Amino acid sequence: METTQTTRKHVVPMQVRFNDVDKFGHVNNTIYFQFYDTAKTAYIYDVCHGVDWTKKAIIVAHIDADFVAQVKGDSNIAVSTRVSRIGHKSLNLYQEVFDVDTLEIKSRCNSVMVAYDLEQQTTIPLPEDWVESIRDFEGDSLQG
């Protein structure tokens, strides 16, 4: 059983729905990306207060996941999210789906997220207030 030793600052509980489970009795691998999307949206909402989502967005430029252990229909899981690096226009997210009771890692995900201007339809530098909020939240563990 693989567990993580890092502190999980931002954790979002997930509900495994009936239709998330395939005929083998475990959560289908495509559903994990829904878990990750839900948690990354909550992270940005919770950490970067006051974002006008009608004008600015943060979009996925790259995503990959490792599936470590099965999640079954009755599992008690959550997703932790942290920013691991901040660049000029992008940031890297590291996320884990884990069992709340045992802390066993079920899946891990790395994403590159890019700041985007919805009105101009182009990438933009990360807004300074986002960067400051993320740095304040993440503390010393942040690169970039």
Side-chain angles (χ1 to χ4, degrees):
M1 173 174 68
E2 182 178 348
T3 60
T4 185
Q5 301 302 317
T6 59
T7 302
R8 293 179 166 123
K9 288 185 175 182
H10 194 274
V11 174
V12 177
M14 292 291 144
Q15 178 182 12
V16 178
R17 302 166 302 178
F18 176 79
N19 61 323
D20 294 341
V21 179
D22 62 22
K23 71 179 187 173
F24 305 114
H26 64 264
V27 171
N28 185 278
N29 61 346
T30 62
I31 301 301
Y32 288 78
F33 293 99
Q34 294 176 28
F35 295 156
Y36 290 129
D37 283 345
T38 298
K40 79 177 64 146
T41 300
Y43 179 96
I44 297 299
Y45 179 81
D46 292 343
V47 175
C48 301
H49 307 285
V51 176
D52 184 349
W53 294 112
T54 63
K55 296 182 180 177
K56 295 177 185 170
I58 190 156
I59 59 174
V60 177
H62 175 82
I63 190 167
D64 65 70
D66 294 317
F67 303 99
V68 179
Q70 295 182 51
V71 172
K72 297 188 178 184
D74 62 351
S75 296
N76 184 15
I77 60 167
V79 178
S80 64
T81 302
R82 70 178 171 86
V83 173
S84 59
R85 185 197 66 81
I86 293 183
H88 178 66
K89 290 185 175 185
S90 67
L91 56 85
N92 292 39
L93 285 180
Y94 176 75
Q95 296 178 281
E96 292 175 339
V97 173
F98 67 97
D99 184 291
V100 173
D101 301 319
T102 67
L103 302 181
E104 179 184 14
I105 297 170
K106 301 296 188 171
S107 176
R108 65 177 71 82
C109 179
N110 288 289
S111 304
V112 177
M113 308 296 294
V114 176
Y116 197 77
D117 183 311
L118 292 168
E119 294 173 329
Q120 300 297 313
Q121 294 289 297
T122 188
T123 60
I124 57 172
L126 286 166
E128 193 54 43
D129 57 328
W130 294 11
V131 172
E132 185 177 318
S133 294
I134 292 167
R135 286 189 189 286
D136 287 347
F137 183 79
E138 294 295 344
D140 295 336
S141 65
L142 191 59
Q143 297 177 3

